[in-house]
Amino acid sequence: MTLQLQGAKITWLGHATFKITTPSNKVILIDPWLEHNPACPAEARKFEHLDLILATHGHSDHIGDAVATAKQYKPQVIAIVELANWLSSKGVENTIGINKGGSVVIDNITISMTHALHTSGLEDGSYGGEPAGYVIELENGLKIYHAGDTMPFTDMQIIRELYAPDIAMLPIGDFFTMGPRGAALATRLLGVKHVIPMHYATFPVLRGTPAELREELGKLGLDQVEVIEMKPGQTIS
């Protein structure tokens, strides 16, 4: 089954950074790591406008450019409460601190925060709250799950029951997150039919590959799942 985005666009900027353009031309940036992201094309680091930033956790390879980008484009910024407070302390305006299980509706887009199993310490030693993921329901009803940095966990079944995402962005790199085998199990728990692999190949240690994910999905009898292998800077629509 080929993914139908129904007027939306998804651009992978490398690592765990994505730009989502909604059918009403709202632009959402997830985990803004741009200038020092070796996988992010230089031409993709600027935006005509930016409406929302979502931060999954406090590691620099996820929020390295959150402060600068937020100050430049003045979007609303969503993060777990402690991380939102930290961003606000750095001069970021329009922060919204929510917590796991909570949702906020902005411009007919529903952002729901989910659990993730990882860490979230900030480089300056501050407490960044807990890591999280997001389910983003666009104006057209399409639901996109960005898992953040995580391993598989059985409560992904709750994400399936509560939100029924259409597509999942899952880390596959291993070492700092789950690898292909874990991502295949996560796919089964979530019940999604479309997966975009992320958080791989940025550095040599992130060795998981989309081909290995397809192999592991096959072992679980999930050959029908579409693995959408993107190149940094590529847009699907």
Side-chain angles (χ1 to χ4, degrees), residues 64-163:
D65 293 289
V67 173
T69 304
K71 288 181 176 180
Q72 180 176 356
Y73 295 98
K74 309 296 184 184
Q76 291 187 293
V77 180
I78 298 175
I80 204 162
V81 175
E82 294 84 356
L83 182 53
N85 290 341
W86 182 85
L87 290 167
S88 181
S89 76
K90 300 299 180 182
V92 174
E93 301 174 354
N94 305 318
T95 59
I96 302 174
I98 63 174
N99 219 310
K100 296 177 183 181
S103 300
V104 61
V105 180
I106 300 171
D107 295 328
N108 295 315
I109 302 164
T110 302
I111 311 295
S112 302
M113 183 175 283
T114 65
H115 188 45
L117 282 172
H118 195 59
T119 55
S120 186
L122 293 154
E123 280 198 333
D124 65 4
S126 300
Y127 175 56
E130 292 192 359
Y134 293 97
V135 176
I136 306 154
E137 183 173 356
L138 304 184
E139 314 95 317
N140 60 3
L142 183 75
K143 288 173 280 190
I144 302 168
Y145 171 51
H146 187 293
D149 280 8
T150 191
M151 64 175 288
F153 50 93
T154 55
D155 285 352
M156 284 178 169
Q157 295 174 97
I158 296 177
I159 295 173
R160 176 181 185 169
E161 287 196 35
L162 280 176
Y163 308 112

Side-chain angles (χ1 to χ4, degrees), residues 13-35:
L13 302 182
H15 206 56
T17 306
F18 286 88
K19 180 179 76 171
I20 300 171
T21 305
T22 79
S24 63
N25 201 37
K26 299 296 180 181
V27 177
I28 303 167
L29 183 63
I30 307 174
D31 281 354
W33 186 41
L34 305 166
E35 294 301 324

Side-chain angles (χ1 to χ4, degrees), residues 8 31 40 52 75 109 116 120 128 147 166 196 211 217 229 231:
D31 281 354
C40 183
L52 279 169
I109 302 164
S120 186
D166 299 292
I196 299 178
L217 287 167
E229 184 176 349
K231 296 178 180 179

